[in-house]
Amino acid sequence: DTAAIASGTVTLDVAPTIQGLSLSGGTITGNNDLSITGLTSWTGGSSVMEGTGTMRADGGLQMDGSFMDIQESRTLVNGAGQTANWTAGTLRLLVAGSTLQNEATALFNITGDGRTLQGNGLFDNQGNLVVNLSDSTQEVDVDAGLDNDGSLDVQTGVLRLGSGGTHTGVFTGGANSVLEFSGGTHTLEAGSSVTATNVRFSAQDAGAGNTFIDGTYNATNTEIEGNTAHFNAAAQTGTLTQSGGTLDGTGTLTVTGLTSWTGGSSVMEGTGTTRADGGLQMDGSFMDIQESRTLVNGAGQTANWTAGGYRLLNLGSTMQNEATAHFNVTGDGRTLTGSGTFENIGNMTVN
């Protein structure tokens, strides 16, 4: 049998199995499970899944309703080996306990134009999550928690993760995409990996946020705007642009291309090292090295400090210009202050 619900409330007093479900309005509630062996179509206007049970979409899932709400401790599962397509509409995991789970070997596609996933619930990705929006300017703003223990691939558009999560899985992204950690606390555990083209750490959602990177990190371009990015293992990026926020951690971040320290106030801190091995441009308003962080202008590279205040604030805060490196101070007058050390082993020119 199949079921079509367009209005009213359906209460699950038993745990049925049906061949298909069309939900275009109304509410499914109750304390029992519902298994759908064929297509689950969540479409039309506003509709709700609530209660304490689990709804299993074991024959595919189509999502394009105006407002699709999961409430209370209801869980919606995209079953193993199945494909879910979220093509339009707003998805809301409204309270803690409201869960959308993408099982191992399942595929969850987000396509079309930008939209939001809201609430205090959790998107639990154990399978494959793919973001492929209509163009690179479109954004999916995830304001609910998201745990990635599978694979997350941003192919086109911006995926903004604004409410934190714990991750053991893989993050990838193409040339027309941005993977953005924009709020909350994200912990990328030792087994996780980030190999995306464009990664951004911002404060767009839920305050400044903290992103702890304990796994593999190898990005083409990294941008820090307003988040705190904690690199606690050896990491690499092709370019680094820091215009705000904080670069922290215990590991070494190696930048093989240009490091650009620009914009407003920003901080490098922690006990680790930032290696500028592809050139260094410094013109931020206040550029602070704190704690025992070391910034290295790599051998054979050129650093240009053209504007802004530079502060080595603590004993142990170090700027090192390696042998055969060039450090140029040009433009108008300014100050280098603090209790730290500028260690010049290479060539320093004031002009």
Side-chain angles (χ1 to χ4, degrees):
D1 293 333
T2 63
I5 303 170
S7 62
T9 299
V10 174
T11 301
L12 298 173
D13 293 326
V14 295
T17 297
I18 58 177
Q19 295 176 346
L21 172 66
S22 173
L23 180 62
S24 58
T27 299
I28 297 176
T29 189
N31 299 324
N32 284 288
D33 299 338
L34 174 62
S35 297
I36 305 106
T37 59
L39 180 64
T40 299
S41 179
W42 201 354
T43 187
S46 299
S47 53
V48 176
M49 297 180 183
E50 65 179 22
T52 61
T54 297
M55 296 185 61
R56 291 196 57 86
D58 284 327
L61 176 60
Q62 174 63 38
M63 303 170 62
D64 56 19
S66 299
F67 288 96
M68 299 168 285
D69 291 355
I70 300 177
Q71 299 182 10
E72 299 175 353
S73 57
R74 173 67 60 181
T75 297
L76 172 62
V77 176
N78 183 39
Q82 303 304 315
T83 298
N85 293 301
W86 179 21
T87 57
T90 298
L91 176 60
R92 299 188 292 194
L93 308 174
L94 286 176
V95 299
S98 304
T99 304
L100 173 61
Q101 184 181 88
N102 192 44
E103 285 189 335
T105 73
L107 174 62
F108 195 101
N109 294 314
I110 304 176
T111 59
D113 294 335
R115 72 206 73 143
T116 58
L117 193 163
Q118 304 170 355
N120 295 313
L122 177 67
F123 189 123
D124 179 18
N125 179 49
Q126 300 174 8
N128 306 290
L129 174 58
V130 176
V131 179
N132 191 11
L133 302 180
S134 56
D135 62 62
S136 61
T137 67
Q138 300 295 322
E139 299 179 352
V140 171
D141 197 352
V142 180
D143 290 330
L146 187 146
D147 290 350
N148 177 36
D149 295 321
S151 69
L152 192 161
D153 183 25
V154 189
Q155 297 179 351
T156 304
V158 180
L159 178 64
R160 182 176 288 162
L161 302 177
S163 194
T166 301
H167 315 288
T168 62
V170 174
F171 293 85
T172 57
N176 295 317
S177 73
V178 177
L179 172 64
E180 182 171 350
F181 297 94
S182 59
T185 298
H186 290 276
T187 301
L188 284 73
E189 296 186 348
S192 68
S193 66
V194 177
T195 54
T197 302
N198 301 300
V199 182
R200 181 186 300 147
F201 301 92
S202 77
Q204 293 293 322
D205 300 287
N210 286 274
T211 305
F212 296 88
I213 304 160
D214 299 328
T216 301
Y217 184 93
N218 191 347
T220 305
N221 304 297
T222 299
E223 186 176 0
I224 302 175
E225 294 181 351
N227 202 289
T228 298
H230 304 258
F231 292 94
N232 294 323
Q236 180 171 300
T237 183
T239 67
L240 171 65
T241 301
Q242 185 170 3
S243 58
T246 301
L247 192 161
D248 200 342
T250 60
T252 296
L253 174 63
T254 300
V255 187
T256 59
L258 182 64
T259 298
S260 181
W261 204 354
T262 187
S265 299
S266 54
V267 175
M268 295 185 185
E269 66 180 19
T271 61
T273 299
T274 306
R275 289 197 57 87
D277 283 334
L280 174 61
Q281 174 63 39
M282 301 171 60
D283 55 20
S285 299
F286 289 98
M287 300 168 286
D288 291 354
I289 298 181
Q290 298 181 9
E291 300 173 353
S292 57
R293 167 70 55 177
T294 297
L295 171 61
V296 176
N297 184 37
Q301 303 304 316
T302 298
N304 292 301
W305 178 21
T306 58
Y310 187 27
R311 300 186 293 193
L312 307 173
L313 286 176
N314 309 112
L315 287 173
S317 304
T318 303
M319 171 73 212
Q320 183 182 90
N321 192 44
E322 285 190 335
T324 73
H326 294 268
F327 194 99
N328 298 316
V329 184
T330 60
D332 296 334
R334 74 209 72 140
T335 58
L336 193 163
T337 60
S339 301
T341 300
F342 190 119
E343 182 182 8
N344 180 46
I345 308 173
N347 306 287
M348 183 175 183
T349 303
V350 179
N351 189 10

